[in-house]
Amino acid sequence: MDELRSKYLTLIAEAGDEAALETLRVQAVGKKGEVSLQMRELGRMSPEERQVAGPKLNALKDEINSALAAKKQALSDAALDERLRSEWLDVTLPARPRRQGSIHPVSQVTEEVTAIFADMGFAVAEGPQVETDWYNFDALNLPGHHPARAEMDTFYMHRAEGDDRPPHVLRTHTSPVQIRSMEASGAPTRIICPGRVYRADYDQTHTPMFHQIEGLAIDRDISMANLKWVLEEFFTAYFGTAVKTRFRASHFPFTEPSAEVDIQCSFEGGTVKVGEGDDWLEVLGSGMVHPHVLKSAGVDPAEWQGFAFGMGIDRIAMLKYGIPDLRAFFDSDLRWLRHYGFAALDVPTLHGGLSR
C-alpha cells in the first residue's frame, strides 16, 4: 500500500492538465483501478486481516481522492490566472446601446389629448368601468326601449338567481363619469373623461373594447359657440394645422340640441389628410347637455347649462398616424409600433410622472 500511495501521489502532483488527472483517477480508484481491485480482495481475507487491511485501503482511497480534488483545483486556479494575464476588460467603455421602450399608441394619444384640453382648463375625471344601468343609461336619458340597452349591443354582468341588486354593465361610454362628477362637485365644472369602454361590436373600425374621451363644460351662459371654439382649438393643436369644423344636426338622448361634428379633410391615394381639401369626415358627437341629465346629476337646469362631446381615442389616433385598421391596436407586436414611429412623450401622465 505504501508503494501505491507514493506512486499515485507523485503522479498526481506531476499531472499537467485535467485530462491526465482523470486518467490517474481511473487507474487508481476507478472500478478496475489498483486500489479498487485490492479492496475486492477484502472478501477473501480472514476477519482479523480485514480489520487491519480495510481501514488502510479506505484511508488510501480517501487520500488519493483528496489529492485529485486538490490538484484539480490548483489546475483550475492556474488556468484562471493565465487567462487573467492574457485577457483584459476596459470597464470604462460605454455599454452596448439598448433600445428604449415606448408607450402604446392609445396611451400616447391619450396623453396628447389630455395635455391639449388641460391647456384649455379641463380637469381629468375617472370612474368605474363596471356601472349600474342607472348611471350608464337612465341618468343619461336613454329610455328602456333604446337599442343600446339590448344585450346584442351591451355587455351585461352575470347575476345569480335571487340577486336583486340593480343590473350592472360594462360601461358603453364614459358619460357616467360626467354624472358622477357633477354629483360630487356640482356646477360650474369643466372636465374630460378618458377611459376604456365596451360594446358588442367587432370589425375594421369597431372593437369590443376601445377608448373614448368625453368632455363636459357647465356654467351659466355656455353656448354651442363655446363648444365649436373648443373643438376647433383642440383639432388644430392635435393635428398641428388649422382645422375647420362643420356641425350637422343630429339626435342623442343626452344632448339637446345635438350635432355630429365633421372636420375638413381630403382623400388622396387612399390616405386622409386633415385640414385641407373640400371633403368632410365625421369624428365625434356633441351638443348641449339635456336638462334631464343635469337633473339626474343634481344640477338645476334653470340655473346652469353647458355642452358635452365625445370621441374615440383609437379613431383619432388612426387619423393622425395613418393606421388603417382599428384592430391593429390590440393584436400587433413591437415592430408595428416602431413602424408607425411611436415613442415616449416627455409629458406628465394622468397618474403623475413622465410617460417613459
Side-chain angles (χ1 to χ4, degrees), residues 238-249:
Y238 177 70
F239 289 107
T241 185
V243 179
K244 295 181 180 178
T245 61
R246 180 179 70 176
F247 280 25
R248 287 181 292 107

Side-chain angles (χ1 to χ4, degrees), residues 281-343:
L281 180 68
E282 184 270 318
V283 288
L284 61 86
S286 65
M288 298 297 290
V289 180
H290 197 288
H292 178 86
V293 175
L294 294 174
K295 288 180 182 178
S296 297
V299 174
D300 184 1
E303 183 178 359
W304 304 96
Q305 65 185 37
F307 63 74
F309 60 86
M311 70 186 93
I313 296 175
D314 317 280
R315 288 188 175 180
I316 62 172
M318 292 172 68
L319 280 176
K320 183 170 182 175
Y321 295 101
I323 300 168
D325 194 320
L326 183 64
R327 293 167 293 189
F329 283 114
F330 309 107
D331 58 10
S332 297
D333 60 20
L334 292 176
R335 291 170 296 177
W336 174 82
L337 298 181
R338 290 195 290 269
H339 172 73
Y340 284 102
F342 290 101

Side-chain angles (χ1 to χ4, degrees), residues 127-138:
Q129 297 180 41
V130 177
E131 275 288 9
T132 66
D133 66 345
W134 187 86
Y135 277 106
N136 199 76
F137 296 123
D138 294 323

Side-chain angles (χ1 to χ4, degrees), residues 5 13 29 46 51 56 121 131 138 140 149 166 216 235 254 261 265 276 292 297 300 306 327 334 353:
R5 178 179 180 278
V29 294
S46 66
Q51 286 181 353
K56 289 184 178 181
E131 275 288 9
D138 294 323
L140 295 164
R149 302 185 76 143
L216 173 72
F235 287 125
F254 27 81
V261 179
C265 69
E276 61 181 59
H292 178 86
D300 184 1
R327 293 167 293 189
L334 292 176

Side-chain angles (χ1 to χ4, degrees), residues 12-310:
I12 290 171
E14 295 174 350
D17 53 43
E18 292 192 17
L21 206 60
E22 176 64 15
T23 300
L24 290 172
R25 186 194 69 79
V26 173
Q27 290 176 357
V29 294
K31 286 186 178 182
K32 296 182 180 180
E34 290 187 73
V35 177
S36 300
L37 290 175
Q38 288 205 18
M39 295 188 76
R40 292 180 187 177
E41 296 297 323
L42 293 173
R44 298 191 180 97
M45 297 179 183
S46 66
E48 293 78 12
E49 292 173 328
R50 268 199 307 273
Q51 286 181 353
V52 176
K56 289 184 178 181
L57 285 170
N58 282 327
L60 176 59
K61 182 179 179 180
D62 290 342
E63 189 174 3
I64 290 174
N65 280 330
S66 295
L68 288 166
K71 185 63 176 180
K72 184 177 181 180
Q73 183 63 47
L75 289 172
S76 177
D77 291 343
L80 179 59
D81 289 340
E82 179 61 27
R83 184 178 175 187
L84 290 175
R85 283 192 295 271
S86 62
E87 297 180 3
W88 63 278
L89 175 66
D90 186 353
V91 295
T92 65
L93 289 174
R96 292 185 178 92
R98 298 179 63 183
R99 187 183 297 276
Q100 290 187 341
S102 62
I103 62 174
H104 192 275
V106 171
S107 300
Q108 176 168 320
V109 171
T110 301
E111 302 298 345
E112 291 182 56
V113 171
T114 301
I116 294 170
F117 281 114
D119 287 341
M120 290 188 279
F122 285 80
V124 175
E126 296 179 303
Q129 297 180 41
V130 177
E131 275 288 9
T132 66
D133 66 345
W134 187 86
Y135 277 106
N136 199 76
F137 296 123
D138 294 323
L140 295 164
N141 202 33
L142 275 79
H145 60 270
H146 194 280
R149 302 185 76 143
E151 291 188 0
M152 63 181 294
D153 285 341
T154 298
F155 294 105
Y156 281 82
M157 308 302 292
H158 174 74
R159 301 178 69 189
E161 186 175 352
D163 187 350
D164 57 357
R165 292 178 300 169
H168 282 68
V169 300
L170 293 179
R171 66 183 183 188
T172 59
H173 41 194
T174 57
S175 300
V177 180
Q178 299 180 16
I179 302 296
R180 291 181 177 274
S181 180
M182 286 190 287
E183 282 182 337
S185 304
T189 188
R190 192 182 303 180
I191 59 170
I192 54 170
C193 314
R196 294 186 183 93
V197 297
Y198 306 84
R199 296 179 190 176
D201 209 350
Y202 188 69
D203 58 31
Q204 188 175 2
T205 57
H206 299 84
T207 53
M209 185 280 291
F210 58 102
H211 302 81
Q212 247 190 5
I213 187 163
E214 299 193 10
L216 173 72
I218 302 295
D219 213 319
R220 285 187 169 85
D221 56 0
I222 286 181
S223 68
M224 292 284 283
N226 301 119
L227 169 63
K228 186 175 178 66
W229 179 86
V230 165
L231 293 178
E232 288 190 346
E233 287 292 305
F234 164 73
F235 287 125
T236 296
Y238 177 70
F239 289 107
T241 185
V243 179
K244 295 181 180 178
T245 61
R246 180 179 70 176
F247 280 25
R248 287 181 292 107
S250 186
H251 169 72
F252 303 111
F254 27 81
T255 53
E256 180 59 39
S258 303
E260 299 275 6
V261 179
D262 303 333
I263 57 175
Q264 177 192 16
C265 69
S266 65
F267 296 91
E268 296 180 6
T271 61
V272 179
K273 294 184 178 180
V274 176
E276 61 181 59
D278 299 323
D279 292 312
W280 297 91
L281 180 68
E282 184 270 318
V283 288
L284 61 86
S286 65
M288 298 297 290
V289 180
H290 197 288
H292 178 86
V293 175
L294 294 174
K295 288 180 182 178
S296 297
V299 174
D300 184 1
E303 183 178 359
W304 304 96
Q305 65 185 37
F307 63 74
F309 60 86

